[in-house]
Amino acid sequence: MRFLHLEDNPTDAELVRALILREWPGCEVTWVGDRASFLLEIKGRSHDLILSDFALRSFNGLEALELARSHCPDTPFIFVSGNMGEDWAVEALRSGAQDYVLKDRMKRLPNAIARILRESDERRKRRE
C-alpha cells in the first residue's frame, strides 16, 4: 500500500507514520510538507490513501482536498488535524473527504484508515 501524507509539522508526520507502520508494516508512507510537493505527488504517482493536515502554513487543507479530487478523484482522503472545528469538519466531508481524525485522538486513525480502505475497495469492486 502507498499512502501520501501532507503535513507541515515533522513531529506530527513521524507520529502518523509510526501509527501506520505499526498496523501496515509494508506500507509506503510518503510525507510532503508543502503545496508544490503535494501536487507533484498526486500528479506523478498513485496512492491508496491521502492524509492531510487541515491548517498548513503554505495553503489550507480544503485546497489540498480540491487538488486531490481533481487529479485523483478515487483516492480516499482523510484529514488529520489538531484545530479543525465542527463547521470545518462538516465542510470537509461535504467537499469529498471520507473522514477526519483529531490529533488529540490519534489512536482512532488506524481504525479510520482500515474502514475507509475497505469502503474504497468495495466501491472499486462494484464499479468493475
Side-chain angles (χ1 to χ4, degrees):
M1 280 189 292
R2 185 179 298 147
F3 294 173
L4 175 60
H5 184 203
L6 173 61
E7 170 63 65
D8 58 4
N9 180 319
T11 303
D12 289 346
E14 187 51 43
L15 174 62
V16 168
R17 179 175 165 44
L19 281 170
I20 290 169
L21 293 179
R22 190 174 309 138
E23 291 293 319
W24 299 277
C27 184
E28 177 186 330
V29 181
T30 301
W31 169 50
V32 295
D34 58 48
R35 184 184 194 283
S37 301
F38 180 72
L39 201 49
L40 281 173
E41 278 294 320
I42 62 174
K43 283 182 172 182
R45 300 176 68 194
S46 67
H47 300 88
D48 298 297
L49 177 72
I50 298 172
L51 301 151
S52 176
D53 192 2
F54 187 76
L56 300 153
R57 284 182 220 111
S58 60
F59 71 121
N60 70 50
L62 286 176
E63 184 181 353
L65 175 59
E66 184 179 314
L67 289 169
R69 289 295 143 250
S70 67
H71 292 284
C72 47
D74 295 329
T75 304
F77 194 104
I78 300 175
F79 279 108
V80 180
S81 184
N83 58 0
M84 183 179 207
E86 185 177 337
D87 291 341
W88 285 115
V90 169
E91 180 64 27
L93 295 172
R94 283 185 183 152
S95 297
Q98 277 69 36
D99 204 349
Y100 65 95
V101 174
L102 298 174
K103 288 182 179 177
D104 64 353
R105 293 190 172 96
M106 199 67 88
K107 290 182 181 181
R108 186 171 110 39
L109 184 61
N111 289 335
I113 290 172
R115 179 183 54 78
I116 287 164
L117 290 175
R118 193 172 47 251
E119 290 171 359
S120 178
D121 189 50
E122 289 169 4
R123 277 192 306 277
R124 183 187 50 77
K125 286 178 182 177
R126 281 193 303 267
R127 279 193 309 265
E128 290 173 356

